[in-house]
Amino acid sequence: MMEYFHRQVQLWGEDTQRELQQKKIAIVGAGGLGSSLAFALGASGIGEIHMIDFDEVSLHNIHRQIAFKMGDEGKNKAVVNCELIEQRCPFVKAVAHEGNFSEWCEKNIEVDLIIDATDNLPTRAEINDYCRGKDLPWIYGSVEAFHGQVCFFKESSFRDAFKITSKTPAGITAPIVMHIASLQANLALRYLAGLSVKKDWLYYLFFNNEGELITQKFSLPKT
């Protein structure tokens, strides 16, 4: 097993890698962000990954949702992602949940971290409420056009920081999806490996008119 994770073991040693095998996470949403998170975290040695999505693959998903290929249309997104995780890494258990986040909550599955990979504010508000009730950290991520946002929520409230509406993103480029998911995955892996993580800071990333990547950060009030 350690040979598979050789480059990670060089970073933090065999003991930390074994500790990752005891961790469990849930990824809410198995589309654009969720697919990239599955790639990034699914081969990192996290013991158990729960993927939650009620949706099926459509043709227009494939260009930016990297877990899917032509011929996957009509398959449940969580199922496809979990199959991919286990194909790439035999040391990770991937569990697909074909339903919405509320239905998953009713199963009362214990996890160490929840990662938001949804595309709407109301579901993120649900994640916020669930995690605050469980005293559980979660990582928010959103993308639209050429910009995105990331935050590791621990003591701050998503409901206090955002106006909850039913708005969903319009156009999205594939690279920004992978970029934001990569930032989420790095935060998740650092946290699960016991490394320091800046909590309750909102990172806003965007490309200006000259194609320069700009990063801004804002401290969120803790409640």
Side-chain angles (χ1 to χ4, degrees):
M1 181 181 77
M2 290 303 163
E3 180 62 25
Y4 182 97
F5 300 113
H6 175 67
R7 289 302 181 98
Q8 283 187 179
V9 171
Q10 287 181 310
L11 285 174
W12 49 52
E14 293 187 2
D15 288 344
T16 296
Q17 189 62 50
R18 290 191 183 94
E19 288 175 6
L20 280 178
Q21 288 288 132
Q22 308 305 314
K23 303 296 184 181
K24 300 179 182 181
I25 67 170
I27 299 174
V28 188
L33 289 172
S35 289
S36 294
L37 286 164
F39 251 87
L41 295 176
S44 296
I46 297 166
E48 193 168 299
I49 299 177
H50 295 264
M51 298 211 66
I52 306 155
D53 206 312
F54 61 86
D55 200 11
E56 296 177 345
V57 179
S58 298
L59 179 62
H60 66 83
N61 298 145
I62 297 172
H63 88 98
R64 71 190 184 283
Q65 300 183 10
I66 62 174
F68 311 133
K69 61 186 184 299
M70 300 295 290
D72 285 336
E73 297 95 323
K75 298 179 182 178
N76 177 269
K77 292 181 178 181
V79 170
V80 176
N81 271 281
C82 286
E83 290 174 350
L84 181 62
I85 289 171
E86 294 193 341
Q87 287 168 2
R88 297 184 69 229
C89 183
F91 309 106
V92 174
K93 178 182 179 182
V95 184
H97 301 269
E98 300 182 57
N100 59 35
F101 179 66
S102 297
E103 292 170 328
W104 180 82
C105 291
E106 293 175 359
K107 298 178 182 180
N108 201 31
I109 297 170
E110 295 293 328
V111 295
D112 299 287
L113 179 70
I114 292 180
I115 306 176
D116 158 48
T118 66
D119 63 358
N120 68 89
L121 292 167
T123 302
R124 292 181 181 122
E126 284 187 52
I127 296 171
N128 177 80
D129 295 346
Y130 179 83
C131 288
R132 288 178 69 80
K134 295 271 190 179
D135 192 25
L136 186 66
W138 68 285
I139 301 175
Y140 154 69
S142 69
V143 290
E144 185 169 7
F146 293 96
H147 60 265
Q149 300 178 89
V150 175
C151 182
F152 189 110
F153 277 96
K154 177 57 178 173
E155 297 181 45
S156 296
S157 172
F158 182 85
R159 286 188 180 274
D160 292 342
F162 292 86
K163 180 180 179 181
I164 308 303
T165 70
S166 59
K167 178 182 180 295
T168 55
I172 302 174
T173 59
I176 195 65
V177 175
M178 289 181 270
H179 185 59
I180 295 300
S182 176
L183 295 177
Q184 289 182 285
N186 275 285
L187 286 172
L189 200 54
R190 285 184 63 87
Y191 173 74
L192 295 169
L195 304 177
S196 61
V197 173
K198 190 89 169 174
K199 303 176 178 67
D200 301 309
W201 280 77
L202 177 69
Y203 293 88
Y204 176 58
L205 304 96
F206 66 96
F207 287 92
N208 64 18
N209 292 334
E210 296 180 344
E212 181 184 10
L213 178 63
I214 309 297
T215 302
Q216 299 175 336
K217 59 181 180 180
F218 308 91
S219 177
L220 300 180
K222 297 178 181 179
T223 57

